[in-house]
Amino acid sequence: MGNIVGIDLGTTNSVAAFKWAEVNVVTAAENSPPDRKLTRSVVAADRNGLIVGEQAYRQLGDGDTENVIISIKRLIGRGFNDPVVQQQLSRFNYKIDKSSQGTENSLSVWLGGREYLPEDISAEILKKVVSNAQTYQERSGQTSRITEAVITVPAYFNDKQRYATEIATQKAGLKLRELLPEPTAAAISYGYRPDSDEVSTILVYDFGGGTLDCSIITSVGNQFIESAKSGDLWLGGDDFDNCIVEFAKQEIARIENLDNVDRLIKKMPHYQRVRLLAELKIQAEQAKIRLSTQGAAEIITSAHLIDEMGMAIPIQVTISRQEFEKRIEPLIDRSVKIAQDAIKYSDYPLDQIDAILLVGGSAQVPIVQQKIRQAFPQHQVVVHDRPMYAVAEGAAIVAAGLTEKVTTVSRDYCIELVDEPRFVIISQGDILPVQKFHTFKTEADGQSLIHFKFFSPDRVRQELERRFQDERIGDMWLALDRPYPKGTEILVTVELDEENNSLQMTAALKNNPQVKVSCSFSRGGVNEEISRQVEERIKQLNAAGNLTEIGVKRANEIAGEVVRSANQIYYNGQVQRDRLNQAESKLKELEEFANDELDIAKIFIMRFELALEVCDQLIHEDQKYRLRNLVDQLQQALNSKNIASLQKLIEDSKREFDNLPDSVKLIVVIREEIGRIHHLNPSQAGGMEVKFNQLLNALQQGNGSQANSLLQELQAEIIPYLDRELPTGTIATGLTR
């Protein structure tokens, strides 16, 4: 089984393991001392490219924090506009921004002046872990090449984060055998007894560097059945470190009588600032570790704080274990509540749980264990013998094909409907894999576009913080082959296998399954940016409230062409340039259709051309010259899409139209009104059209009395229609139950 490895891809450290006769955790000379089993999940840039692990971590200590990526697991599968990401930005010393190739639902990090997706950084960590594992197994007499991996992820990861981890695995050159929930892996490491019939129910409390995961798992022999889970993806050892950093700032402010240390840090020269923050982070982590066995720990940085006078202030403070515990106590209380929630979500009362298993680096902090023993019966609480390696060990056992598992959906999957904004299509706790069928209906007559919006509510945050926290999964569009009546049924098939695939969805007309879209989620890429702009243009057109039925139909046609092309932009993960170009071309057409300036410019061109054609003898030569120039300039600005120029020309056109002789303006307005009446009463408009042509003939022949008579008749016929609005419509894209 040397071609497959189990990997715990962690926020702070990553670990690899094999299951041969025994479980072997990989060691490597360049891994973190003292046991050399932990590969730091840190990536840095140097002159030779990217470096990973302990060497990259040392670069953090050298002060080059902008070129050192830590805690990338907290960012993978997230968007730049994610509220939690925005809250956490100040805690990262490297640059984080919206991806240049995507939307606010994606993000990039910058390293060595280059842009990387979080998946790229995770792939580098995986490559390093696999390289160490390859060397380790070769030294152990195994000759096969590692090509596959079982990779662990937080049980509470959402669909987008699982998908991003899949992509990272592919970029690392690995075939993904399975995404294994971390608590399940820990339970397997603890409870794997292939020759035993003993049934044991375990509450796994996995408190790591960046996440907290709690799951209820029942084990018997080599079988593991998951029944409930809860978690917090922004609660871990990193937050303990941040508490120590804040203490150090407050303590130095007290000692030096400073008003605001954060303001001083912001004013420091860039290099000094990032070096100081990096040293504080490293010192905090080391102090946290020492406080597990000591009563106090010093925090000393070689980089100094600079005060308002430019004087250097050395940072040397001492934090006691008591102070440390007081500061992290609210975080631990939160973790206990999340563990209790896992029990609440399960079918097991507390007295039927045999063990509360503590794993992960943060679970080794003494007050964490103390709090767990206060919250749960002490005889149930067990600290794993190898808390830092348990997850990797379980992954190795699964990689060897030695277990049978039943896992459950990590959280609710919802779709936004017009009449039910949070309709659940897959429920948390459903047995995996899941396949479900839902029938929805189009919301309006003439609908030919459907916009599917998927998200996952964070139930844990909702219960703890009493507010909805929805995490967007992705969008999908279906362009129908023609307009359909309201209530047309759409069959939606959703499939989920969190071990091997992200959410898969197919939507089709129930009575014509050939009209469908399948598995075309936009996930922060260029296709999502295009679909976002389609949504914006549709909102813009609907808000204007002046779309005729013909306008609605035309807008649907253009938007449908954009959507069809956008759905085909990616093939096997690669951008199809012809599809992208087609989508962008049609999107520009939709933007033009929705642009008021473009419409107004076209109206003035038609007005002036009509006036010049039929009222030549009624307009002064100087004004005719200005009108011709305006027509040419408007057309040029339209062709070049020069909106700024159009805005000025439209103002000029309004003034010029107002300066036309009243009789010319009247003729032009009558012609426009006849066109409008065509939508209200086609037969009468036809009669008006005949009279208008007679009017033009009379003007050309110089027959003023006949022209005046026809003008009066047309005015009288038009007056009843002046207060009648044209029927307008909206572009509908939603679904109902």
Side-chain angles (χ1 to χ4, degrees):
M1 298 299 294
N3 68 327
I4 185 167
V5 63
I7 299 175
D8 172 9
L9 182 60
T11 305
T12 308
N13 299 289
S14 295
V15 185
F18 296 100
K19 176 65 171 79
W20 295 324
E22 301 293 334
V23 177
N24 296 73
V25 179
V26 169
T27 60
E30 55 193 34
N31 275 354
S32 301
D35 57 7
R36 305 292 182 182
K37 295 181 186 296
L38 300 175
T39 300
R40 286 193 181 270
S41 300
V42 180
V43 179
D46 70 1
R47 285 173 294 182
N48 300 317
L50 298 182
I51 53 177
V52 182
E54 189 68 20
Q55 186 181 358
Y57 183 74
R58 286 197 296 270
Q59 189 165 310
L60 183 68
D62 294 337
D64 189 13
T65 56
E66 283 188 310
N67 287 314
V68 182
I69 305 294
I70 62 171
S71 302
I72 197 64
K73 187 174 176 180
R74 283 193 154 185
L75 299 176
I76 195 167
R78 292 194 176 274
F80 185 69
N81 266 11
D82 185 323
V84 188
V85 171
Q86 288 294 312
Q87 292 168 14
Q88 298 283 333
L89 281 180
S90 62
R91 294 184 175 181
F92 295 96
N93 289 325
Y94 50 88
K95 181 181 176 183
I96 304 169
D97 205 350
K98 187 190 85 169
S99 174
S100 63
Q101 300 299 314
T103 70
E104 286 81 0
N105 290 320
S106 63
L107 61 79
S108 291
V109 297
W110 290 79
L111 196 56
R114 290 186 58 190
E115 181 183 21
Y116 295 89
L117 296 175
E119 297 94 302
D120 298 323
I121 302 301
S122 291
E124 293 300 317
I125 297 168
L126 286 171
K127 288 176 188 177
K128 182 66 173 178
V129 171
V130 170
S131 175
N132 288 344
Q134 187 69 55
T135 302
Y136 177 83
Q137 75 166 6
E138 287 170 359
R139 289 176 180 168
S140 303
Q142 299 281 338
T143 58
S144 57
R145 301 298 300 173
I146 298 172
T147 58
E148 295 184 75
V150 169
I151 296 177
T152 63
V153 292
Y156 209 59
F157 251 15
N158 67 25
D159 186 79
K160 196 173 177 183
Q161 291 162 315
R162 291 173 184 276
Y163 176 78
T165 307
E166 290 178 41
I167 298 301
T169 308
Q170 294 172 13
K171 290 187 173 188
L174 290 169
K175 180 181 178 182
L176 181 63
R177 175 71 66 87
E178 182 178 327
L179 288 177
L180 178 66
E182 288 164 2
T184 302
I188 291 169
S189 167
Y190 174 76
Y192 177 68
R193 305 285 187 274
D195 300 324
S196 172
D197 293 329
E198 182 180 350
V199 178
S200 180
T201 300
I202 306 164
L203 166 58
V204 179
Y205 173 91
D206 181 3
F207 207 177
T211 59
L212 171 76
D213 258 324
C214 298
S215 294
I216 306 287
I217 296 159
T218 300
S219 69
V220 51
N222 69 339
Q223 298 179 335
F224 296 85
I225 303 169
E226 177 190 84
S227 58
K229 63 186 78 175
S230 63
D232 190 335
L233 300 175
W234 292 93
L235 179 58
D238 281 0
D239 302 291
F240 290 1
D241 298 345
N242 290 330
C243 287
I244 296 176
V245 169
E246 289 305 310
F247 165 80
K249 292 178 184 176
Q250 293 167 13
E251 189 67 1
I252 203 69
R254 182 188 65 80
I255 295 169
E256 300 292 335
N257 195 26
L258 302 172
D259 289 333
N260 191 317
V261 170
D262 282 325
R263 187 169 63 240
L264 290 179
I265 291 174
K266 286 181 181 179
K267 290 182 178 180
M268 288 173 63
H270 177 72
Y271 175 76
Q272 291 175 310
R273 180 176 73 249
V274 295
R275 182 176 179 184
L276 174 62
L277 292 173
E279 285 197 40
L280 280 172
K281 167 68 177 172
I282 292 171
Q283 286 291 309
E285 183 181 347
Q286 293 174 355
K288 174 184 66 179
I289 294 169
R290 291 196 297 272
L291 288 169
S292 289
T293 56
Q294 301 174 12
E298 281 192 315
I299 302 165
I300 305 174
T301 64
S302 60
H304 291 172
L305 178 68
I306 308 298
D307 70 9
E308 298 281 6
M309 305 299 293
M311 301 294 291
I313 300 173
I315 293 183
Q316 182 172 353
V317 299
T318 300
I319 183 169
S320 67
R321 180 191 284 188
Q322 182 180 11
E323 179 66 33
F324 170 59
E325 290 178 347
K326 182 179 76 174
R327 287 176 174 267
I328 67 171
E329 190 171 11
L331 301 176
I332 302 169
D333 290 342
R334 182 182 179 93
S335 78
V336 170
K337 178 66 169 62
I338 291 169
Q340 292 168 335
D341 281 347
I343 298 173
K344 183 172 67 176
Y345 300 154
S346 77
D347 296 327
Y348 293 93
L350 179 58
D351 60 9
Q352 289 187 19
I353 293 175
D354 300 294
I356 297 167
L357 179 66
L358 275 57
V359 296
S362 299
Q364 297 180 75
V365 175
I367 190 176
V368 172
Q369 297 182 10
Q370 175 188 328
K371 286 278 189 177
I372 292 294
R373 289 191 169 97
Q374 289 173 356
F376 301 101
Q378 289 197 30
H379 72 276
Q380 293 177 327
V381 180
V382 178
V383 180
H384 196 288
D385 292 340
R386 300 166 302 284
M388 299 294 287
Y389 315 133
V391 172
E393 290 176 355
I397 294 169
V398 171
L402 301 176
T403 62
E404 296 178 12
K405 305 186 306 302
V406 174
T407 54
T408 60
V409 176
S410 59
R411 52 172 71 193
D412 288 342
Y413 288 73
C414 298
I415 184 172
E416 181 180 316
L417 301 178
V418 173
D419 55 347
E420 194 167 342
R422 302 166 65 84
F423 183 78
V424 178
I425 54 174
I426 296 177
S427 299
Q428 180 175 341
D430 284 349
I431 302 297
L432 289 165
V434 175
Q435 183 182 56
K436 291 195 175 184
F437 303 92
H438 300 278
T439 298
F440 302 118
K441 298 175 182 178
T442 54
E443 66 165 319
D445 282 326
Q447 187 170 342
S448 61
L449 276 177
I450 299 171
H451 186 190
F452 302 91
K453 302 177 184 179
F454 298 94
F455 60 92
S456 283
D458 188 337
R459 184 196 290 185
V460 171
R461 280 185 175 270
Q462 182 179 323
E463 293 192 1
L464 289 175
E465 301 171 11
R466 302 302 176 192
R467 62 186 176 90
F468 287 119
Q469 182 75 41
D470 294 335
E471 295 181 347
R472 189 170 178 172
I473 295 172
D475 291 26
M476 192 166 75
W477 288 78
L478 172 60
L480 303 177
D481 58 328
R482 59 182 175 83
Y484 281 85
K486 179 180 179 179
T488 298
E489 293 186 328
I490 307 294
L491 178 63
V492 173
T493 305
V494 287
E495 299 176 88
L496 182 64
D497 180 357
E498 290 183 348
E499 292 182 3
N500 300 300
N501 295 104
S502 51
L503 183 67
Q504 307 290 301
M505 199 200 88
T506 299
L509 279 173
K510 196 166 187 178
N511 293 330
N512 185 3
Q514 299 303 311
V515 180
K516 68 177 182 178
V517 63
S518 180
C519 308
S520 298
F521 278 121
S522 48
R523 298 177 182 273
V526 63
N527 57 340
E528 184 169 282
E529 176 60 21
I530 290 172
S531 71
R532 184 193 68 79
Q533 292 190 45
V534 170
E535 184 177 12
E536 286 300 312
R537 296 293 83 76
I538 289 173
K539 285 180 180 177
Q540 180 183 343
L541 286 164
N542 285 340
N546 55 11
L547 276 177
T548 63
E549 291 179 9
I550 294 173
V552 170
K553 183 178 179 182
R554 181 57 186 150
N556 271 315
E557 288 171 356
I558 302 171
E561 292 181 73
V562 179
V563 166
R564 290 186 189 94
S565 296
N567 282 344
Q568 299 172 37
I569 285 175
Y570 287 97
Y571 180 75
N572 287 337
Q574 300 299 313
V575 173
Q576 307 303 296
R577 185 56 55 180
D578 61 332
R579 296 290 86 197
L580 175 58
N581 292 341
Q582 174 73 5
E584 289 178 338
S585 173
K586 287 298 177 182
L587 182 60
K588 286 181 181 177
E589 190 175 337
L590 184 63
E591 288 172 347
E592 292 171 15
F593 188 85
N595 192 298
D596 287 341
E597 281 87 358
L598 299 179
D599 288 340
I600 295 170
K602 290 174 185 176
I603 288 171
F604 276 118
I605 288 174
M606 289 188 291
R607 282 178 173 179
F608 294 158
E609 286 180 339
L610 178 64
L612 289 166
E613 179 185 352
V614 304
C615 303
D616 181 78
Q617 70 276 25
L618 302 177
I619 306 173
H620 191 276
E621 287 298 324
D622 289 344
Q623 189 170 28
K624 284 194 281 189
Y625 175 77
R626 293 195 301 273
L627 292 177
R628 291 190 187 100
N629 274 343
L630 269 174
V631 168
D632 290 341
Q633 291 173 24
L634 285 166
Q635 193 61 60
Q636 288 173 15
L638 277 174
N639 293 339
S640 62
K641 310 297 186 296
N642 188 335
I643 302 301
S645 179
L646 277 176
Q647 290 171 341
K648 180 181 182 304
L649 288 169
I650 287 169
E651 291 302 314
D652 294 342
S653 297
K654 288 177 181 176
R655 284 194 296 272
E656 201 63 59
F657 184 77
D658 288 342
N659 289 331
L660 282 171
D662 290 343
S663 57
V664 174
K665 285 190 287 188
L666 182 59
I667 290 169
V668 170
V669 169
I670 285 174
R671 183 68 192 86
E672 288 179 358
E673 282 300 311
I674 291 172
R676 196 175 72 87
I677 294 168
H678 264 293
H679 296 288
L680 298 169
N681 190 335
S683 61
Q684 188 162 1
M688 293 180 186
E689 192 77 43
V690 171
K691 287 185 181 179
F692 186 78
N693 289 331
Q694 292 172 350
L695 167 64
L696 298 183
N697 289 331
L699 287 172
Q700 289 174 354
Q701 294 169 9
N703 190 339
S705 62
Q706 184 184 6
N708 286 332
S709 175
L710 288 166
L711 267 176
Q712 291 174 10
E713 288 180 29
L714 284 169
Q715 281 182 276
E717 291 177 13
I718 285 170
I719 286 172
Y721 290 95
L722 292 179
D723 294 331
R724 291 179 60 180
E725 296 288 340
L726 287 178
T728 59
T730 58
I731 305 164
T733 63
L735 291 172
T736 65
R737 289 194 65 185

